[in-house]
Amino acid sequence: MASVRLDKITRRFSNSVAIADITFEVPDGQFWVLVGPSGCGKSTILRTIAGLESATSGNLYIGETRVNQVPARQRDVAMVFQNYALYPHMTVAENIAFGLKMRQTDPKTLQERVETVAQILEISHLLDRKPRQLSGGQQQRVALGRAIARQPQVFLLDEPLSNLDAQLRDGTRSELKQLHQRVGITTIYVTHDQVEAMTLADQIVILDRGTIQQIGDPQEIYALPKNRMVATFLGSPPMNILPAIYTGSGFQIEGQTIPCPTTLQAKLKLTSGQPLDLGIRPEHLQVSQDAGHLITEVSLVEPLGRETLIRVVLPPENRSSLNVQTHPDLRLHLGDRLSLILDFDHLFLFESVTGDRIYPIRSKEI
Ligand code: ATP
């Protein structure tokens, strides 16, 4: 096992920059997740670590060794892709053993290793089957088995669950987490699925357009996103963003004004007339029987059993919409007028152009 350190890694393709100045270090044995929208550079980072792409500039270390010039085969990393690419003419056992055979492992060690890996992944009963005789989830486990059998220093996983149906994906996700807890290999995992990122990661790296937006543990990032992109990326449904104008004593949103508590006014140091984006998560809006902060109209009702998600718009213009998490006993219908209360303890404010968070203010942030 080993740590992985990227130091100002940049990768250009002809005239475009795929990733810029990527710097982070995954400590030995940790599970890190790279997450972000399509095209943000996740796979390019992973492929660069694997040695399938070369960095245009910057340094890459596995353990203490700078590996920029080390060919992929000698980096001692194992990569599992979204399409597992098992050899169709080989049995499960032969597929798992393939990487070891290539390294001239002696037959006894090879057999022991295959059996141990099959036990860990609970596929011992499938060892004599061919890939076409397996379900998607089983094939996926064989692909993981092939990677684990080699006992690499680093495990690189590129959207390994995206070909599985929803139920199988949930199951395999928990298995992956348990597997990591057992074998403890340094793992870097790429996904665009924020649920996978939140549930699997020791640390998440959020990327957008080739640059790092924030690094942190999942709860920390959820609670204190650095900017609007991060705030709206993590969380389902995402944080609501309302374009507003600060009036000095409140926030004007379309034709309505939400009063700003005086304690908050003192902290904000905003100028009257300043445009900003107000952010509030669906779970921090409450339906009020009395006059609340915002008058809204229900435009969608989604009962989910444990809770009901609703979407509301702000009349009369209906330009802004908000997702609200409500109690399932509350029977709501399309067109209902609702008054909402914002929980100011969980209010976010973002700079309207750059999207940087301006509230809450924290002095010590990475
Ligand atoms: P996805 O989630 O869609 O797989 P990603 O976050 O993994 O996306 P990358 O595949 O790393 O993104 O691509 C990052 C950027 O680099 C994209 O704009 C992509 O078009 C560009 N890119 C990647 N590979 C090449 C290539 N071989 N030649 C030119 N541009 C490339």
Side-chain angles (χ1 to χ4, degrees):
M1 292 194 294
S3 59
V4 176
R5 179 153 72 92
L6 285 78
D7 175 29
K8 296 201 170 93
I9 295 280
T10 294
R11 174 66 169 126
R12 283 194 195 88
F13 289 108
S14 49
N15 52 1
S16 72
V17 179
I19 50 171
D21 252 348
I22 302 294
T23 297
F24 61 82
E25 178 170 2
V26 183
D28 189 5
Q30 286 204 358
F31 195 125
W32 280 40
V33 175
L34 311 182
V35 70
S38 182
C40 70
K42 307 179 289 291
S43 298
T44 304
I45 295 178
L46 212 63
R47 290 169 61 80
T48 306
I49 299 170
L52 304 172
E53 295 284 356
S54 54
T56 310
S57 61
N59 295 308
L60 175 67
Y61 300 85
I62 296 181
E64 297 302 311
T65 316
R66 183 177 179 274
V67 295
N68 288 53
Q69 310 304 331
V70 177
R73 266 177 293 112
Q74 290 164 24
R75 289 197 186 184
D76 204 9
V77 303
M79 187 150 168
V80 178
F81 297 94
Q82 165 178 350
N83 45 351
Y84 340 111
L86 298 175
Y87 298 106
H89 56 288
M90 292 185 191
T91 63
V92 167
E94 287 163 345
N95 264 286
I96 295 175
F98 185 76
L100 295 169
K101 254 193 181 153
M102 299 296 284
R103 280 152 205 253
Q104 268 102 41
T105 312
D106 72 85
K108 187 163 170 283
T109 314
L110 192 141
Q111 195 182 343
E112 277 171 12
R113 200 79 74 74
V114 169
E115 281 168 10
T116 311
V117 165
Q119 253 174 18
I120 293 176
L121 292 167
E122 295 174 17
I123 49 174
S124 302
H125 59 298
L126 304 173
L127 286 174
D128 294 329
R129 290 207 197 160
K130 297 275 174 59
R132 66 169 186 284
Q133 298 168 304
L134 304 176
S135 72
Q138 290 166 337
Q139 289 186 33
Q140 215 281 338
R141 270 184 273 171
V142 177
L144 285 173
R146 192 171 55 182
I148 298 168
R150 279 178 43 200
Q151 299 184 337
Q153 300 226 60
V154 180
F155 227 174
L156 303 173
L157 303 171
D158 194 352
E159 307 237 15
L161 308 184
S162 59
N163 279 353
L164 307 181
D165 66 45
Q167 206 177 351
L168 203 52
R169 195 158 57 214
D170 287 352
T172 318
R173 193 178 65 216
S174 339
E175 279 170 18
L176 256 181
K177 187 154 189 169
Q178 285 169 1
L179 184 68
H180 179 257
Q181 282 160 358
R182 279 160 81 174
V183 294
I185 299 174
T186 312
T187 302
I188 307 178
Y189 185 105
V190 157
T191 182
H192 62 269
D193 182 331
Q194 46 107 9
V195 177
E196 277 175 27
M198 292 288 285
T199 51
L200 287 170
D202 288 320
Q203 296 276 303
I204 295 182
V205 180
I206 301 198
L207 295 145
D208 192 28
R209 284 173 285 170
T211 58
I212 294 178
Q213 303 295 308
Q214 190 165 2
I215 301 179
D217 82 55
Q219 284 305 330
E220 186 183 294
I221 297 188
Y222 186 82
L224 207 56
K226 252 186 161 172
N227 59 36
R228 189 173 50 207
M229 183 269 155
V230 176
T232 52
F233 192 77
L234 280 194
S236 177
M239 183 185 287
N240 297 298
I241 299 290
L242 292 167
I245 305 279
Y246 185 63
T247 64
S249 58
F251 304 100
Q252 195 184 322
I253 298 168
E254 296 193 21
Q256 305 189 43
T257 302
I258 301 175
C260 177
T262 41
T263 47
L264 187 57
Q265 286 176 36
K267 285 186 210 159
L268 283 177
K269 301 188 185 76
L270 296 173
T271 49
S272 180
Q274 183 171 336
L276 41 80
D277 283 341
L278 197 144
I280 187 94
R281 293 210 182 269
E283 62 268 34
H284 298 135
L285 285 162
Q286 205 191 326
V287 176
S288 163
Q289 302 304 326
D290 313 313
H293 297 128
L294 277 176
I295 304 293
T296 66
E297 194 174 297
V298 177
S299 65
L300 183 72
V301 180
E302 291 183 314
L304 297 174
R306 204 169 6 149
E307 68 200 25
T308 297
L309 285 178
I310 59 166
R311 172 110 31 92
V312 299
V313 289
L314 265 56
E317 294 172 35
N318 301 351
R319 266 187 288 134
S320 302
S321 71
L322 293 157
N323 291 304
V324 187
Q325 192 176 313
T326 64
H327 197 277
D329 291 346
L330 208 62
R331 299 282 164 183
L332 296 166
H333 305 95
L334 288 190
D336 282 354
R337 282 274 164 131
L338 282 187
S339 178
L340 296 180
I341 295 183
L342 280 77
D343 178 351
F344 281 102
D345 287 341
H346 292 97
L347 178 77
F348 291 89
L349 299 173
F350 302 100
E351 221 279 328
S352 63
V353 180
T354 63
D356 289 343
R357 192 190 71 235
I358 47 183
Y359 183 82
I361 307 149
R362 291 283 185 281
S363 52
K364 283 189 205 149
E365 274 185 44
I366 7 157

